[in-house]
Amino acid sequence: MTTNVLTLSAYEFYINGEWKESQSGQTIDIKSPYLYEVIGRVQAITKEEVDEAIYFAREAQKDWAETSLQDRAKYLYKWADELIDMQDELAEIIMKEVGKSYKDAKNEVARTADFIRYTIEEALHMHGESMRGDSFPGGSQSKIAIIQRVPLGVVLAIPPFNYPVNLAAAKVAPALMAGNAVIFKPATQGAISGTKMVEALHRAELPKGLVNLVTGRGSVIGDYLVEHKGIDMISFTGGTNTGLHLAKKATMVPLVLELGGKDPGIVREDADLYEAAKHIISGAFSYSGQRCTAIKRVLVHEKVADELVGILKEEVEKLSVGSPENGNTVVPLIDEQSADFVQILIADAIGKGAAVITGNKREHNLIYPTLLDYVTEEMRVAWEEPFGPVLPIIRVSSDEEAIKIANESEFGLQASIFTKDINKAFVMADKIETGSVQINGRTERGPDHFPFIGVKGSGMGAQGIRKSLESMTREKVTVLNIGE
Ligand code: NAP
């Protein structure tokens, strides 16, 4: 809903170092997922304002590309310090805006500052290379190539709602250290947190125009941004459908897409079931499963399935449920629509014969943690990403069957294998079609300097600090021809 009544805090957008209200006169209400009230408004900016933001970014990038790494680093270190200074304020906003517990929100801010600092250090230690021409025909022995990494220009950074500060900074920090300017379009539900993050950059006195914050619904300004000729690279994290849509619109522009997942937790017959259950529970239910790398299905050997289900049931029933203000693990989902979708998946599974072990209770957009057993391949919940606290258990009779079902998914983000047989785990890991495989641990994005990769419907390209710096630069080759 858009409105032009400015009774609550209306956050401004940020362009060329200045905070502004949009000429549209329109703002978007940001409603808290658990307070059920509007907590602020962000600007619904116009296409002309998008053009201006990109123009200023292009101008600012020219000098920035010439700025030394040490000087770029000074601004980013200051940014990290500013974020820590405002950690409590920012955590409160993240909690209210995206319904994450205060503790997790504080951790998100601390992790972001660490991420920025590590990005600086990595960038300072990245060097080019040189190559000899060797014996290729045409006198190539007399050639030496000097290969440097140069910035791409203006990076469009689009994060999702669930880590509104961390996933934004994970794009902005490497883009800046690599010498680019940034157009940052936060998720609308997450735009206040994103605005606060940019306030920290403003206080760090980042040169004007280098980061411009454009707010507005993705469905309204998204295509315009993505197709804009002034954008040189797009770093997107979000749902697979949005990513597919965006990839069709963006032409001849490098893309890094980190999309949805359906990460399996594979439990072998020989696994330590208590240990596996611990990882599965925190993997599946923390922040109500609103994590791309949440464990979204369990593929368990039938011989140990009853025992595992018993342990999981006990653990799920211990999970705290309710408002994020009280530090609960399972919290209301981001909106009613998301809760409706989860319920549809649960109902479909029950209709087709799944057994509800616990849960399947709802209050508004709060879905109680739900464990479904005897899930089969005919059920939607076996394949679709709920982005909510529901965990389907699929019983399998062999490693091969587990691998087959794992790989039949349209997604390929991560997978976990729980086993005491490490050799077997490696053999299985090699066969699983995902960006990463975790052995005896839950699926997760961090540590942030590990490469983070989605394959198939889970994405394209790689993130992870060094990988992000590489994806936001290109190689430039200068050849020295040595005279005879
Ligand atoms: P989403 O609905 O796809 O939105 C993601 C971002 O795309 C938002 O900023 C959104 O803006 C924007 N957008 C929407 N339409 C657009 C368009 N036409 N052009 C350009 N941008 C557009 O995803 P979400 O609900 O925020 O996040 C949940 C999804 O993200 C899940 O599928 C999850 O698995 C995935 N995710 C993946 C990773 C990963 O690293 N693989 C990490 C976290 C989350 P508006 O908010 O204004 O619509």
Side-chain angles (χ1 to χ4, degrees), residues 264-268 297-301 394-396 402-403 405-406:
I266 299 175
V267 183
R268 295 189 74 236
R297 51 195 171 136
V298 170
L299 305 174
V300 57
H301 196 282
I394 302 172
R395 293 169 178 239
V396 296
I403 293 168
I405 296 175

Side-chain angles (χ1 to χ4, degrees), residues 185-472:
K185 190 226 122 21
T188 297
Q189 191 78 35
I192 300 179
S193 309
T195 302
K196 287 281 163 189
M197 191 194 76
V198 174
E199 277 180 26
L201 263 173
H202 182 69
R203 278 200 296 277
E205 296 177 353
L206 186 79
K208 62 181 191 174
L210 276 180
V211 171
N212 299 279
L213 166 76
V214 299
T215 51
R217 295 252 177 238
S219 51
V220 178
I221 57 166
D223 288 0
Y224 190 70
L225 277 164
V226 166
E227 292 178 322
H228 204 288
K229 293 281 169 270
I231 296 296
D232 300 301
M233 188 268 173
I234 301 173
S235 176
F236 173 84
T237 305
T240 298
N241 287 340
T242 319
L244 273 173
H245 172 86
L246 186 148
K248 285 181 194 151
K249 297 272 169 191
T251 44
M252 296 287 284
V253 174
L255 287 179
V256 172
L257 303 175
E258 292 294 351
L259 310 176
K262 187 72 183 170
D263 295 357
I266 299 175
V267 183
R268 295 189 74 236
E269 202 182 333
D270 69 348
D272 176 333
L273 296 184
Y274 283 93
E275 198 53 28
K278 189 180 83 187
H279 288 283
I280 289 169
I281 295 290
S282 86
F285 294 105
S286 58
Y287 189 32
S288 289
Q290 296 175 111
R291 294 169 48 245
C292 56
T293 52
I295 290 197
K296 294 179 181 138
R297 51 195 171 136
V298 170
L299 305 174
V300 57
H301 196 282
E302 59 196 6
K303 287 197 184 143
V304 292
D306 285 346
E307 196 184 343
L308 181 74
V309 170
I311 301 169
L312 288 174
K313 176 179 190 298
E314 213 172 288
E315 292 302 316
V316 170
E317 287 173 352
K318 283 187 208 155
L319 290 171
S320 58
V321 181
S323 164
E325 300 213 351
N326 308 326
N328 290 302
T329 303
V330 176
V331 291
L333 295 183
I334 196 69
D335 53 29
E336 285 282 333
Q337 250 182 313
S338 305
D340 290 346
F341 178 65
V342 175
Q343 261 218 309
I344 289 170
L345 293 185
I346 296 174
D348 172 78
I350 295 171
K352 290 174 183 160
V356 178
I357 302 300
T358 186
N360 190 24
K361 192 175 136 196
R362 172 176 177 181
E363 288 159 13
H364 306 286
N365 53 332
L366 175 64
I367 304 261
Y368 279 69
T370 302
L371 200 56
L372 297 173
D373 198 0
Y374 297 102
V375 169
T376 62
E377 293 173 58
E378 288 67 50
M379 301 173 190
R380 289 177 60 183
V381 76
W383 308 111
E384 296 181 39
E385 180 187 41
F387 230 56
V390 53
L391 183 63
I393 316 272
I394 302 172
R395 293 169 178 239
V396 296
S397 57
S398 64
D399 291 345
E400 290 66 36
E401 193 187 355
I403 293 168
K404 179 178 148 289
I405 296 175
N407 288 346
E408 269 168 9
S409 170
E410 65 168 300
F411 298 106
L413 196 54
Q414 293 203 351
S416 288
I417 302 171
F418 296 97
T419 178
K420 292 197 187 99
D421 186 338
I422 292 300
N423 290 343
K424 194 77 192 170
F426 270 86
V427 171
M428 289 176 76
D430 280 350
K431 292 185 181 154
I432 292 175
E433 296 161 1
T434 54
S436 324
V437 178
Q438 305 267 354
I439 298 173
N440 292 326
R442 71 173 204 174
T443 47
E444 61 187 3
R445 189 163 59 95
D448 288 321
H449 61 306
F450 285 6
F452 182 62
I453 302 157
V455 298
K456 305 198 284 187
S458 292
M460 212 169 81
Q463 291 205 92
I465 291 174
R466 190 181 182 91
K467 295 286 169 194
S468 297
L469 285 161
E470 284 172 358
S471 72
M472 291 172 175

Side-chain angles (χ1 to χ4, degrees), residues 114-129:
D114 284 350
F115 186 103
I116 295 168
R117 293 186 183 120
Y118 198 109
T119 303
I120 296 168
E121 283 148 26
E122 189 74 33
L124 289 173
H125 293 97
M126 280 172 75
H127 302 289
E129 57 177 334

Side-chain angles (χ1 to χ4, degrees), residues 141-203:
Q141 248 168 344
S142 63
K143 291 175 188 288
I144 296 176
I146 298 154
I147 303 151
Q148 304 175 77
R149 296 206 80 92
V150 296
L152 294 175
V154 176
V155 170
L156 172 60
I158 308 182
F161 79 82
N162 59 345
Y163 289 87
V165 170
N166 184 263
L167 285 177
K171 300 174 187 312
V172 175
L176 288 176
M177 274 315 288
N180 301 290
V182 180
I183 299 295
F184 165 38
K185 190 226 122 21
T188 297
Q189 191 78 35
I192 300 179
S193 309
T195 302
K196 287 281 163 189
M197 191 194 76
V198 174
E199 277 180 26
L201 263 173
H202 182 69
R203 278 200 296 277

